[in-house]
Amino acid sequence: MRERSVAVSVAKRVVIFVAGGLTYGLLEIIWRGYSHISMFLVGGVCLVIIGSMDEGGEAPCLLWQACLGSLTITVMEFTSGVIVNLVMGLDVWDYSQLPLNAMGQICLPYSVLWLLLSIPAIYYEDILRHFLFRESIPHQKWLPEVMISENSPKKAK
């Protein structure tokens, strides 16, 4: 029985990976008119990681997940950019003309865009899991809850 649950878990991750890869490639084609197979791999890994942030237990707030999503995508873009663009010389993209770039592989404007795109990506992955695997959709909180202790000092009147 344990082998079956492991197989199902792997199958879910593969489906999410493929969905992420196809969606990332499609977004790139819409944005700049073309894509590259390396972006399929980056998109797949990113959606699996972003989607795993709200699995099990209570999900962190959506703002925190989006920040982590942006960081995940930025790190994956930098890593793949160094390999694909700098080491292999394929020149798939070059952000060197954009402000606040690192080696032409990542830049602050796109990291902000990844922050904004992480929010629909979180919902997209949740919806895929709901419709494909009959999992419940986690309740997303937009902001962190501020916990106030009963023993905290009260305002003077």
Side-chain angles (χ1 to χ4, degrees):
M1 189 65 160
R2 170 101 172 115
E3 294 83 21
R4 178 166 162 46
S5 68
V6 170
V8 168
S9 179
V10 169
K12 287 178 186 180
R13 297 236 190 273
V14 167
V15 168
I16 299 301
F17 176 88
V18 170
L22 291 173
T23 303
Y24 200 92
L26 179 61
L27 288 173
E28 256 207 334
I29 290 168
I30 291 168
W31 183 260
R32 63 182 191 151
Y34 63 95
S35 189
H36 187 266
I37 189 67
S38 61
M39 295 298 93
F40 174 84
L41 301 173
V42 169
V45 170
C46 288
L47 192 61
V48 168
I49 293 170
I50 290 169
S52 69
M53 289 182 211
D54 62 8
E55 285 181 20
E58 190 171 331
C61 74
L62 196 59
L63 180 61
W64 180 242
Q65 288 180 72
C67 289
L68 291 173
S70 176
L71 180 63
T72 298
I73 297 168
T74 300
V75 167
M76 288 299 301
E77 278 233 333
F78 182 77
T79 304
S80 64
V82 166
I83 295 167
V84 170
N85 296 326
L86 303 181
V87 174
M88 297 174 71
L90 296 178
D91 298 322
V92 176
W93 71 89
D94 181 3
Y95 297 153
S96 61
Q97 301 303 313
L98 294 172
L100 302 169
N101 75 80
M103 299 168 54
Q105 303 311 302
I106 56 171
C107 64
L108 185 59
Y110 276 97
S111 290
V112 172
L113 179 62
W114 304 147
L115 177 77
L116 299 174
L117 286 175
S118 289
I119 294 169
I122 292 163
Y123 284 109
Y124 176 54
E125 194 270 352
D126 289 343
I127 290 167
L128 285 173
R129 286 178 164 278
H130 176 71
F131 285 106
L132 297 177
F133 307 113
R134 305 210 188 283
E135 294 182 11
S136 62
I137 296 177
H139 173 71
Q140 300 288 351
K141 297 172 290 193
W142 276 90
L143 298 171
E145 291 181 18
V146 178
M147 304 295 274
I148 300 174
S149 167
E150 290 180 24
N151 298 327
S152 64
K154 295 183 180 177
K155 283 186 168 179
K157 291 184 181 181

